[in-house]
Every structure is written in structure tokens, then in C-alpha cells.
Amino acid sequence: MYLIIIIIIFNILIYFLNNRISIFLDLYDKPDKLRKLHKTKVPLTGGIIVLLNAIMALIITLIGQFNYQKTILFEKELDLVILLVSILVIFLIGFIDDKYNISANKRLVFTLIILFPIIFLSENLIIKQVEVSFLEQVYSLPLSFSILWTVLCFLLFINAFNMFDGINYQAGCYSIYLCLFFLLNDCFNLFFLFILIGLIFFIILNHNYKSFLGDSGTYLLAFIFGYFFIKFYNQVDYIKTDQILLFMIIPGIDLIRLFILRISRGLNPFSPDRNHFHHIMLKKFNLLQTNIIIQSLIIIPSMLGYYFGYTYIFFIAQMIIYFYFVLFKKM
């Protein structure tokens, strides 16, 4: 209980320092009347909130050995150090983009440069096999392909998560749901407790247009969730590839649709537009309704698939509902 109080006090302090942090770093998302329709500049401090909570959790774990022997995810202390450094570097890539608006190609190159050593140096962070809950056969992957596949999975989810963040609450609520999933499965609880409480304070700021996640936040959160899903998958035997897919498929399929749409129009697949799933939904529903529908489309199938199986049924349901909303302009 005392630990929760400490985490809350820590985040209250960050909450009240939010404006000062944005002023000190001169870090804002400014409206452009094209894609960014908010009326005033908004601090891009969401990533900093997540970063500070992640660092604090890892430092407490490293110094105090809190719950260290009980976790199955980190057999070596060096692995925790690698995670800490990785989080800092991934955050820095997003931060530089928030600050200086670097090109998508440069972000991609920087991300690739950091992902390969992270995967090589970390324990159990390579996807060596594909195991589907409704199939008996386990598909083993050659080492060279498994490394490339792991990097590709990270890249897809990082970019999908980044594109998923386009309206208030959406990425924050999705991240809260993933934190709760890891907490309910007793997966590195201290870390995800810090992230969860930090996200709750971020949502409060986001509600009042006092903070956006920015690329630093989306990159960092996507890396964290991708990292722990792979660790979790490799070190327990009760979660399968298809079950993880249900948690990630809506941001993922929207990324693929947008890439195909942009390429078909002769555009860079990373070029920004207002054709995202949430933009389409906002033409039919208000902000609250849009968030409820999109979150439900992720939460309900993924929970049912995880606890009861029959993932192919819930996947088909997700795709039917998603494409119904995307293809039919009028309700």
C-alpha cells in the first residue's frame, strides 16, 4: 500500500510540473488547421510522464531488488539494465522527432539501428517459434529469420501505435488496458503499476488539453508493450501468437490499410492524413462514442480470446466490424 502512495505522490509532482517541463523543453504540438485541429498549442509531455515512471520503476527494481526473485522475465540483472538503456534511446528517437520534426525515413533508420542490438543483447527477446492456440503444430523459425521477424514485429507495432494516437484518450486508454492485462497476469507488477498510474494522470491532463503523448510517448509505449509481450510469450506457455494478435490487430490493420491507400495514390506510406480509423469514426460519432467503440473492438475480443480460446471467431468479428465502419460512410 505504501508503494502505491509513493507512486501517486510521484505522479502528482509530475502533474504539477507539466507546464514547467514543456516550457523548459519548448515542447509543444501546435495546431495547423489541417490535421491538428486543437485550438491552442499543447505540451508534448505524455512521453516524459511514461519515461519518468518507467525509469523510477526500473531503478527501484535494480537497487532494491523489489520482487526481483519472483519474476520469471528477468533472470539476469544485466537484462534490466539493457531494458533501461533501451527505453531511454527509444524515447530519445521520438523526442527528437517531436522537437525537430525529422522525416519518417530517418525515424525508421534510427529505430532499426537500436532494435537489432536490443534484440541480440536481451534474454528471450527473439521470437523463435509461432504457436497458435487452435493448432497442434508449433512452427519453429530459423535463427536468421526469427531475428528479422522480431524486428519487423517491433517496427509494425511501433508505427501502428504511433498512427493509432490521433484523438484524445484513445492511445492512453488502450495503454491502460494493456497495463491492466500485464498486472492481472502478474507480469513485472511494479513496473506496470508505475506506468498505469502515470497514464491515469496523463489522461487527466489529456482531457484538459494539457498534454499529448507525442511520438516520444507512442514510440516508448509501443516498445514497452511489444517488449513485454515477446518476453511473456517466450517464457510462459499459456499465451499464444493468435491471442496476442487480438490485442494488436486493430492498430495493425489500420496501419496496413493506410499504407495501401497512400501507396495507391502515389504518396509516401508515412505521409500524414485524416483517413485513420478514428477520423472515419469521428465523422459518424462524437469523441466519447468513438473511443468506446474502438476500445470495445479491442478489449472484448482480446479478453474473450485469451480466456476462452476460439480466437479465429473473435478475429473475424473484429475484421467485419472494422471494415463495416471503414467502408460504409453513412450510418
Side-chain angles (χ1 to χ4, degrees):
M1 186 63 186
Y2 75 92
L3 185 62
I4 295 177
I5 295 172
I6 291 172
I7 299 172
I8 291 173
I9 293 173
F10 177 70
N11 279 281
I12 289 173
L13 179 62
I14 298 172
Y15 177 89
F16 284 109
L17 289 175
N18 180 68
N19 284 333
R20 293 189 180 185
I21 292 171
S22 60
I23 292 170
F24 176 75
L25 297 173
D26 190 25
L27 195 63
Y28 294 95
D29 188 50
K30 299 174 183 178
D32 58 12
K33 297 183 180 180
L34 295 174
R35 292 188 306 110
K36 304 174 181 181
L37 303 181
H38 44 281
K39 297 179 181 179
T40 59
K41 62 181 183 180
V42 178
L44 289 170
T45 50
I48 295 171
I49 293 171
V50 175
L51 177 70
L52 292 175
N53 277 278
I55 290 174
M56 182 62 72
L58 290 174
I59 289 175
I60 290 174
T61 303
L62 283 165
I63 295 176
Q65 299 282 305
F66 183 88
N67 209 27
Y68 180 70
Q69 282 77 19
K70 296 180 181 178
T71 180
I72 62 171
L73 295 177
F74 297 98
E75 298 174 1
K76 298 178 181 179
E77 191 171 296
L78 177 61
D79 212 17
L80 281 169
V81 175
I82 293 170
L83 174 60
L84 177 59
V85 174
S86 303
I87 282 173
L88 288 167
V89 176
I90 292 292
F91 167 83
L92 186 60
I93 293 172
F95 176 83
I96 293 171
D97 186 46
D98 286 335
K99 184 74 174 175
Y100 301 107
N101 194 27
I102 61 176
S103 69
N105 291 335
K106 288 181 179 178
R107 289 202 311 269
L108 179 63
V109 171
F110 292 153
T111 307
L112 278 171
I113 290 172
I114 187 58
L115 281 177
F116 275 104
I118 290 171
I119 290 168
F120 273 114
L121 296 173
S122 300
E123 294 285 333
N124 295 307
L125 199 61
I126 298 175
I127 304 171
K128 297 179 180 179
Q129 60 184 29
V130 176
E131 189 173 0
V132 180
S133 63
F134 53 86
L135 298 177
E136 293 185 2
Q137 185 174 354
V138 177
Y139 300 92
S140 297
L141 305 176
L143 180 60
S144 57
F145 181 78
S146 64
I147 293 170
L148 293 174
W149 176 245
T150 305
V151 171
L152 179 62
C153 287
F154 266 114
L155 283 176
L156 286 173
F157 188 56
I158 287 172
N159 284 283
F161 194 104
N162 184 255
M163 291 186 179
F164 190 67
D165 177 40
I167 59 175
N168 280 9
Y169 319 124
Q170 182 167 274
C173 289
Y174 176 54
S175 298
I176 286 173
Y177 167 59
L178 294 182
C179 285
L180 289 171
F181 169 78
F182 285 113
L183 285 168
L184 289 171
N185 283 277
D186 198 28
C187 176
F188 209 38
N189 288 347
L190 175 69
F191 181 84
F192 282 106
L193 190 59
F194 262 98
I195 301 296
L196 174 64
I197 294 176
L199 285 168
I200 291 170
F201 277 88
F202 164 73
I203 290 288
I204 296 170
L205 289 166
N206 187 231
H207 173 73
N208 295 311
Y209 284 90
K210 293 182 178 179
S211 180
F212 286 164
L213 277 173
D215 287 341
S216 61
T218 57
Y219 268 52
L220 181 54
L221 284 168
F223 173 77
I224 287 170
F225 294 132
Y227 179 98
F228 280 98
F229 264 122
I230 293 173
K231 282 269 191 178
F232 197 48
Y233 174 77
N234 281 339
Q235 294 181 248
V236 302
D237 59 2
Y238 50 84
I239 188 167
K240 311 303 180 186
T241 304
D242 50 312
Q243 292 170 321
I244 295 174
L245 185 64
L246 288 175
F247 288 88
M248 300 178 167
I249 191 61
I250 295 302
I253 200 67
D254 204 44
L255 169 77
I256 295 170
R257 180 184 64 84
L258 287 167
F259 273 23
I260 293 172
L261 184 63
R262 291 166 183 172
I263 292 171
S264 68
R265 294 176 177 177
L267 301 172
N268 186 313
F270 292 101
S271 59
D273 57 35
R274 291 186 62 83
N275 293 316
H276 297 229
F277 185 35
H278 47 266
H279 293 138
I280 294 171
M281 296 294 286
L282 282 175
K283 295 176 182 178
K284 306 172 183 181
F285 305 100
N286 62 35
L287 180 63
L288 178 60
Q289 291 169 333
T290 295
N291 271 288
I292 290 173
I293 293 170
I294 293 176
Q295 300 298 334
S296 298
L297 190 54
I298 297 170
I299 293 171
I300 295 173
S302 59
M303 279 292 97
L304 291 175
Y306 178 68
Y307 285 108
F308 299 107
Y310 303 103
T311 52
Y312 53 92
I313 295 175
F314 301 117
F315 172 76
I316 292 170
Q318 280 180 313
M319 292 300 94
I320 290 173
I321 296 169
Y322 170 84
F323 282 106
Y324 173 79
F325 283 123
V326 167
L327 298 175
F328 291 92
K329 302 297 183 182
K330 296 181 180 180
M331 296 298 295

